Amino acid sequence: MRFCYRCGISEEEGGPLINGLCQVCFRKENPILLLPGEINTELCQNCGSYKKRGVWIDPQNYELDALIFEVAENALLEAIEDSLDKVREFDVVDWEELEEVEEIPVGKAFVAFRVLDYHIEHFPAIIVYEIRVKARIHELQVEPHDETVTTTVYIRQTVCPRCQKFLAGYYEAILQVRVEDREFTKEEREEITKLVQEKVDEIMQRDRMGFIQDTIEKEEGIDFYMGSTSAARKLANAIREKYGGVISEAYELVGLDRQTSKEVYRTSVTIRLPKFRKGDVVEDRHGRVYRVESVDGKGMRLKNLETWESDHFDWKTVKREKIDLAEHEERKALLMGQTPTEAQFMDMETYETFEVRKPKEKLEDGEVYKIVKVKGRLYIKEKEGGE
Ligand SMILES: [Zn+2]
Ligand SMILES: [Zn+2]
């Protein structure tokens, strides 16, 4: 007959013995949930991020109460995971669900936790948790481990490294938005700024340093001071995709890193928007006249003002065909009448009447059209106020 060496119970009564211990003493000698009574964690008071396994991440919740519980639960689960080193895996289940758990394979634990008490009106926020674990760690175990402990999580405020840099005015790159050979209009500036802001929100989900430190409006364009070079590049690409243009980069030595004594460069990413805009009148090397219908990353859609046929020209073709702004005069005129090939107009200012060769499309009598004159020849550009 064998006996438990700790409590003296016989194997018949308290067995089977595991390493000389009865079932109860084996569980007592080998507790599996060794949580500290106090767990400390912190969140960034500026952006709400917190550390998950040592890496700063953005929170799921931005509402403060929910955020505090999110941060506390993360710290609690990390502590539970660290303490459960006698099992290979564990599942987190609801408190009520754990009550029902009976069949537990060796090497597995089921964990549940609930809030006993909390004070989150000010920092440090305090949440008291009760944690219960059921587990089996030895194949001779009849009853599983069933342990309940309480711990208190303290959540303090700090400023994450990213926000420290942001608040100190740090930037790594400048995104410069410029235009080619023309004025940068207010509408365009607003559109680009909006696009940049939307894209930054997207980038920040992956690149925490992708923030805009500062935006500076200049006569020649807009400068965005960016926390990361890759974010500046992504933004330049997003702008090019939508509006076309050419991207270039320049580097400036700004000093030495005091810790690594490596040279530190600052990158300027410049996107130069194309010279052409929707509504421009352009001309190719053969003297064909077009109206620019749209501009994008690949090229532009041009409407031949003689035939009113429209086609997409990629940037290579635009260059090869020497398409450029056409010097022209523009006036508004009322359509008085038309034949299959001619349209009669009356100038809205001078009341002078004149004829213009018209495209096959039917025009609308009594409507006002914009008429352009290029190299002495008249073209119907578009209906006033229309596309
Ligand atoms: Zn015993
Ligand atoms: Zn932060």
Side-chain angles (χ1 to χ4, degrees):
M1 174 85 74
R2 297 199 294 165
F3 298 92
C4 169
Y5 71 82
R6 280 208 70 90
C7 70
I9 199 171
S10 71
E11 179 157 37
E12 201 165 42
E13 235 180 302
L17 299 186
I18 305 169
N19 306 328
L21 290 166
C22 72
Q23 290 283 318
V24 172
C25 291
F26 171 75
R27 293 201 301 269
K28 271 197 191 141
E29 288 289 302
N30 298 281
I32 63 159
L33 191 57
L34 296 162
L35 278 189
E38 189 182 310
I39 297 168
N40 289 286
T41 186
E42 48 191 19
L43 63 83
C44 174
Q45 63 191 46
N46 190 54
C47 70
S49 62
Y50 57 91
K51 269 195 257 180
K52 191 171 188 125
R53 286 289 168 217
V55 179
W56 287 92
I57 61 154
D58 289 317
Q60 313 274 324
N61 297 286
Y62 283 94
E63 190 266 313
L64 188 59
D65 288 4
L67 170 62
I68 289 170
F69 279 99
E70 178 185 337
V71 176
E73 269 182 29
N74 173 71
L76 176 66
L77 284 169
E78 283 187 0
I80 291 173
E81 191 178 345
D82 289 344
S83 100
L84 288 177
D85 57 354
K86 295 191 186 79
V87 295
R88 281 190 305 273
E89 54 169 342
F90 71 97
D91 283 354
V92 178
V93 297
D94 287 342
W95 193 264
E96 293 75 24
E97 228 180 296
L98 187 61
E99 191 59 53
E100 312 296 320
V101 171
E102 272 160 18
E103 293 300 312
I104 303 169
V106 174
K108 171 133 191 174
F110 290 88
V111 183
F113 60 86
R114 63 180 174 183
V115 174
L116 290 184
D117 197 6
Y118 62 91
H119 302 282
I120 59 171
E121 308 75 38
H122 50 79
F123 287 95
I126 299 167
I127 305 176
V128 183
Y129 286 98
E130 185 174 31
I131 304 102
R132 183 176 174 190
V133 175
K134 287 186 180 178
R136 190 185 296 273
I137 60 171
H138 199 284
E139 51 286 331
L140 290 178
Q141 244 181 293
V142 181
E143 291 285 314
H145 281 73
D146 186 348
E147 296 169 13
T148 303
V149 298
T150 59
T151 188
T152 305
V153 181
Y154 292 84
I155 305 103
R156 291 181 172 80
Q157 282 183 305
T158 186
V159 179
C160 75
R162 183 265 305 272
C163 290
Q164 278 172 23
K165 283 186 162 181
F166 177 78
L167 295 170
Y170 172 88
Y171 62 97
E172 189 183 83
I174 307 173
L175 170 67
Q176 301 181 313
V177 186
R178 299 289 183 268
V179 289
E180 189 73 50
D181 264 357
R182 62 175 172 84
E183 189 209 349
F184 200 172
T185 65
K186 189 164 164 280
E187 294 77 46
E188 262 182 304
R189 285 170 187 261
E190 284 169 2
E191 258 185 59
I192 299 266
T193 304
K194 193 163 160 258
L195 175 72
V196 164
Q197 278 159 357
E198 283 168 8
K199 193 74 193 165
V200 160
D201 287 346
E202 203 182 301
I203 290 171
M204 291 273 283
Q205 290 173 8
R206 295 224 187 126
D207 175 3
R208 286 170 41 82
M209 292 300 286
F211 57 76
I212 301 175
Q213 176 63 246
D214 206 357
T215 305
I216 295 182
E217 289 273 356
K218 292 178 162 179
E219 171 105 32
E220 65 270 29
I222 317 170
D223 287 356
F224 296 96
Y225 287 72
M226 305 292 308
S228 94
T229 306
S230 87
R233 288 184 182 131
K234 279 182 191 144
L235 290 175
N237 281 318
I239 294 170
R240 183 172 61 183
E241 221 168 86
K242 189 154 182 200
Y243 300 100
V246 178
I247 296 172
S248 59
E249 282 192 17
Y251 310 92
E252 183 198 351
L253 182 64
V254 289
L256 287 178
D257 185 305
R258 256 176 280 164
Q259 277 158 13
T260 63
S261 59
K262 270 190 193 161
E263 291 178 336
V264 177
Y265 287 87
R266 185 162 295 145
T267 311
S268 304
V269 182
T270 304
I271 165 94
R272 211 166 276 281
L273 298 171
K275 191 174 176 178
F276 308 102
R277 274 174 298 169
K278 182 180 172 181
D280 282 347
V281 176
V282 298
E283 185 179 23
D284 68 12
R285 63 193 172 101
H286 309 289
R288 281 190 284 257
V289 176
Y290 307 85
R291 182 174 78 92
V292 177
E293 293 195 299
S294 63
V295 181
D296 58 51
K298 296 193 176 73
M300 10 183 216
R301 178 158 285 280
L302 301 179
K303 181 172 184 172
N304 184 318
L305 287 187
E306 203 169 329
T307 62
W308 275 26
E309 274 159 12
S310 91
D311 246 319
H312 192 271
F313 290 64
D314 59 30
W315 291 117
K316 244 191 211 162
T317 310
V318 169
K319 209 170 171 188
R320 196 185 59 229
E321 293 301 313
K322 295 198 166 58
I323 292 170
D324 205 348
L325 296 175
E327 242 183 77
H328 67 281
E329 290 163 28
E330 185 173 312
R331 55 173 157 172
K332 290 173 188 168
L334 185 72
L335 181 60
M336 311 284 288
Q338 51 190 314
T339 70
T341 54
E342 301 283 329
Q344 292 94 41
F345 284 101
M346 182 181 73
D347 189 296
M348 297 294 283
E349 272 176 33
T350 64
Y351 305 113
E352 174 207 346
T353 57
F354 55 94
E355 294 197 327
V356 184
R357 264 184 73 90
K358 79 182 257 297
K360 281 199 197 85
E361 278 81 2
K362 183 111 179 82
L363 303 177
E364 291 172 56
D365 289 347
E367 291 286 342
V368 175
Y369 285 83
K370 285 180 184 162
I371 310 295
V372 291
K373 190 176 189 179
V374 181
K375 295 203 172 104
R377 196 172 152 187
L378 295 171
Y379 301 88
I380 304 166
K381 186 187 172 197
E382 62 198 323
K383 199 166 102 178
E384 163 80 341
E387 259 302 273

